[in-house]
Amino acid sequence: MLCFRLSTTLLLAATCSLMTAVVSLEKIVSESTITCGSKGNVQRLSCDDGVISVQTALYGRADAVTCSEGRPPAQLTNTQCSQVGTVDVVKKRCDGKRECELNINIFYTSDPCKRTYKYLETTYTCLPAIHLDACEGSLAQLQCDQGQVIFVYGADYGRSDQTTCIYQRPLNQIQNISCSNPTGKVADSCNGKNSCTIAVSNSVFGNPCIGTYKYLKVVYTCNCSHPGTTPVTTQLP
């Protein structure tokens, strides 16, 4: 019996090591997208699998070639132009989501270099993740395999579409799709555990939109358990 338990432990350790190596390789592969700075232009980030993790973001100009077509030389000469805090803005809006769209107008609040034609360049990776939707009045159950623990990327309680949790619900209860309340309570309750159950209710998450039938959206991953590691709490934008 001791040999069996030891073998199982070694197998789990080897599996976790292999998974960590695979994730590390995935993190090395990043995508880059560039959106020219004309008013109304939209940048879109997306992941076929997993969720967005923004690595870098530049709003300004770092060379004279990018987004230069049809622009006079005077608008391209300043290649040391960058708006402070751009990466924080993009991370807040996009981290932990499958897809994200940013209107270039949100960066018009200040101008890091007047008379220079700017662009938004973002690099990001797609992190592996599990997506869970749980309707109001139910229990959300997060579960990992043996030897792994939960890490919550983010959670929202409310409603952002008219297709989730709509069975036998009147139209007036699903019309409001601008009802979303990011919450760190799922991370606080579940991070570092192998499994976790949390009630999906207004008493737990508050009521961001009275009269609307809501649901909980959770994005999480299962990490290998390492003694002494303290999970970091995050939430969706």
Side-chain angles (χ1 to χ4, degrees):
M1 185 63 72
L2 178 61
C3 289
F4 173 75
R5 287 178 179 170
L6 181 60
S7 298
T8 302
T9 301
L10 291 173
L11 178 59
L12 284 170
T15 302
C16 279
S17 297
L18 179 58
M19 288 177 60
T20 301
V22 170
V23 171
S24 296
L25 286 174
E26 289 178 346
K27 287 181 179 179
I28 292 173
V29 180
S30 62
E31 299 184 42
S32 179
T33 181
I34 297 172
T35 303
C36 300
S38 297
K39 186 176 182 180
N41 283 355
V42 173
Q43 181 169 101
R44 187 175 188 274
L45 314 181
S46 65
C47 291
D48 293 332
D49 296 304
V51 292
I52 296 165
S53 175
V54 174
Q55 306 300 303
T56 65
L58 165 78
Y59 176 68
R61 177 163 292 277
D63 62 60
V65 178
T66 304
C67 292
S68 61
E69 185 176 356
R71 295 288 160 180
Q75 294 184 1
L76 309 173
T77 54
N78 185 353
T79 58
Q80 301 294 320
C81 164
S82 62
Q83 188 176 86
V84 176
T86 298
V87 68
D88 296 327
V89 172
V90 181
K91 287 179 73 66
K92 183 178 180 181
R93 290 174 177 257
C94 298
D95 273 1
K97 295 183 178 180
R98 271 181 176 162
E99 57 184 39
C100 173
E101 291 188 351
L102 298 163
N103 191 309
I104 205 78
N105 294 5
I106 65 174
F107 297 103
Y108 284 7
T109 54
S110 63
D111 192 341
C113 44
K114 293 181 179 180
R115 293 180 291 279
T116 293
Y117 186 64
K118 293 167 279 292
Y119 55 86
L120 174 64
E121 181 174 9
T122 303
T123 59
Y124 66 100
T125 58
C126 294
L127 301 180
I130 300 165
H131 295 259
L132 171 67
D133 293 339
C135 302
E136 182 179 347
S138 68
L139 297 175
Q141 296 182 314
L142 288 68
Q143 178 71 52
C144 291
D145 292 337
Q146 185 179 357
Q148 296 181 331
V149 294
I150 296 163
F151 175 77
V152 177
Y153 285 129
D156 284 299
Y157 180 64
R159 176 167 292 277
S160 57
D161 62 53
Q162 292 184 331
T163 57
T164 306
C165 294
I166 62 171
Y167 181 66
Q168 292 187 339
R169 290 288 159 181
L171 185 61
N172 68 315
Q173 290 188 4
I174 62 173
Q175 278 185 320
N176 185 359
I177 58 172
S178 298
C179 160
S180 183
N181 187 24
T183 175
K185 290 186 177 181
V186 181
D188 293 341
S189 299
C190 300
N191 275 0
K193 297 179 180 178
N194 174 255
S195 63
C196 179
T197 301
I198 189 165
V200 183
S201 68
N202 295 332
S203 61
V204 175
F205 298 105
N207 193 347
C209 41
I210 297 172
T212 294
Y213 185 62
K214 296 166 283 292
Y215 51 86
L216 178 69
K217 295 179 73 73
V218 183
V219 180
Y220 72 100
T221 189
C222 292
N223 291 336
C224 295
S225 177
H226 298 295
T229 300
T230 303
V232 179
T233 302
T234 62
Q235 64 182 44
L236 291 175

